[in-house]
Amino acid sequence: QVQLVQSGAEVKKPGASVKVSCKASGNTFTSYSMHWVRQAPGQGLEWMGIINPSGGSTSYAQKFQGRVTMTRDTSTSTVYMDLSSLRSEDTAVYYCARGHSSSWIFDYWGQGTLVTVSS
Amino acid sequence: QSALTQPASVSGSPGQSITISCTGTSSDVGSYNVVSWYQQYPGKAPKLMIYEVSKRPSGVSNRFSGSKSGNTASLTISGLQAEDEADYYCCSYAGSSSVVFGGGTKLTVL
């Protein structure tokens, strides 16, 4: 069974960076793309970007270009999302989600990581 | 890209059918059959309910169905049950290796 387990909640000051991890179970880590989606309190879902764990290629939503970096470690089946220059509007729950065979559909989700940005 | 447009809320009584619309543009919903729907309970991660416009993942009730016409996709829930009360989000591939979500619809079962 596929499981995505994310790192714990973070509290950061404005201007800082945060790195959230997502560890995938099973032995198919390099076969599926991984996405990051965030949800601000009381708001909707917002797609941030995609990483191909096989080759490490990425594509980011225009809104986050220059501030987000997605990486992976195939030895531990873990993907990472690094968001820099944090501001209060970045306070949200961040989810990793596995891409379905067509890549642009999210069939398994992590439990979410709350990132709070506050001075 | 701009978010897809969904009604903020819909409601229905147990046993009834409801439909949630998701309106995009010719650059997303209208161009690709990669529309998916997600159910989300408060404090929980979203769950895939419909993919590629009308396909259901294993384990999802056949009371859930999806369709698309032009730039608008729709999710229909028949035989409404109390457990269906949740937030629902549509999502579409938008080209150039990107996706866009709808703003979400809160379903209330009366």
Side-chain angles (χ1 to χ4, degrees), chain A residues 4-116:
Chain A
L4 302 177
V5 179
Q6 299 183 221
S7 48
E10 303 261 14
V11 179
K12 296 291 183 180
K13 293 193 182 303
S17 296
V18 68
K19 191 168 188 174
V20 181
S21 68
C22 170
K23 182 176 176 60
S25 65
N27 58 0
T28 59
F29 178 69
T30 57
S31 299
Y32 298 89
S33 58
M34 292 291 281
H35 300 256
W36 288 92
V37 176
R38 77 176 187 179
Q39 185 170 37
Q43 302 301 308
L45 302 172
E46 183 174 33
W47 181 77
M48 299 181 69
I50 178 176
I51 180 167
N52 181 341
S54 176
S57 61
T58 57
S59 178
Y60 305 135
Q62 194 167 6
K63 175 177 179 176
F64 300 101
Q65 292 271 6
R67 275 211 308 146
V68 71
T69 303
M70 296 177 188
T71 56
R72 94 291 190 211
D73 182 341
T74 55
S75 68
T76 60
S77 299
T78 303
V79 294
Y80 300 90
M81 187 283 298
D82 196 319
L83 188 62
S84 62
S85 302
L86 290 169
R87 34 211 188 228
S88 59
E89 310 89 87
D90 294 317
T91 293
V93 175
Y94 289 77
Y95 293 102
C96 61
R98 193 185 82 163
H100 189 262
S101 58
S102 75
S103 288
W104 305 107
I105 295 161
F106 317 120
D107 57 1
Y108 291 93
W109 295 67
Q111 83 276 19
T113 297
L114 175 62
V115 175
T116 303

Side-chain angles (χ1 to χ4, degrees), chain B residues 4-15:
Chain B
L4 307 175
T5 301
Q6 298 180 232
S9 63
V10 298
S11 62
S13 299

Side-chain angles (χ1 to χ4, degrees), chain B residues 3-4 13 19 24-29 35 40-44 49 56 60 69 74 78 84-85 102 105:
Chain B
L4 307 175
S13 299
T19 296
T25 70
S26 58
S27 297
D28 39 62
V29 175
V35 176
Q40 186 182 35
Y41 293 114
K44 299 296 185 183
M49 304 301 285
R56 270 190 314 276
V60 171
S69 178
S74 299
S78 59
D84 299 330
E85 185 163 297
T105 298

